[in-house]
Amino acid sequence: MRKSLLVAAILLCVTSAAYGTCQYLTFLTESLPDFTVGVYGSTTIDVWGGTAPYTFTITSGSLPPGLTMSSGGVISGTATAEADNTVFVKVTDSLGCHLTNAYPVRAYN
């Protein structure tokens, strides 16, 4: 019986190491700064945990016109119009673990 349990434990460890397991992943950035129309701005969405590198995507909503988000989580650009939107940002780590967070994003004059 002990031998069976030991073999099962070893197989579980080998399987976890071979396929990876999701580690705790969380957004550190709680909110985004407001952007001013006609003025360049930049901010980075930070996360903690998981397994780097991370990839960021917008899954729903849109940034104000003139702003873009890189796959590294940097939102930058010059807003060209006022906007008050919500974007849903998904972060995916190198093991495929993911988490999504909603961010209000505003551009004003």
Side-chain angles (χ1 to χ4, degrees):
M1 181 68 166
R2 269 191 182 171
K3 196 173 198 178
S4 297
L5 290 175
L6 179 59
V7 169
I10 290 171
L11 286 174
L12 179 62
C13 290
V14 169
T15 302
S16 294
Y19 294 105
T21 57
C22 290
Q23 302 293 319
Y24 184 75
L25 183 61
T26 189
F27 283 91
L28 293 177
T29 302
E30 294 179 2
S31 63
L32 300 178
D34 290 344
F35 291 86
T36 304
V37 173
V39 177
Y40 178 83
S42 179
T43 190
T44 302
I45 297 175
D46 292 314
V47 296
W48 180 85
T51 305
Y54 309 104
T55 303
F56 295 81
T57 55
I58 294 176
T59 60
S60 181
S62 61
L63 294 170
L67 299 180
T68 59
M69 186 178 74
S70 73
S71 62
V74 177
I75 296 173
S76 62
T78 303
T80 58
E82 288 188 350
D84 189 0
N85 301 341
T86 299
V87 293
F88 290 81
V89 176
K90 178 180 177 181
V91 60
T92 305
D93 75 0
S94 63
L95 296 177
C97 302
H98 56 87
L99 185 66
T100 300
N101 198 33
Y103 290 103
V105 57
R106 290 181 292 266
Y108 64 93
N109 281 317

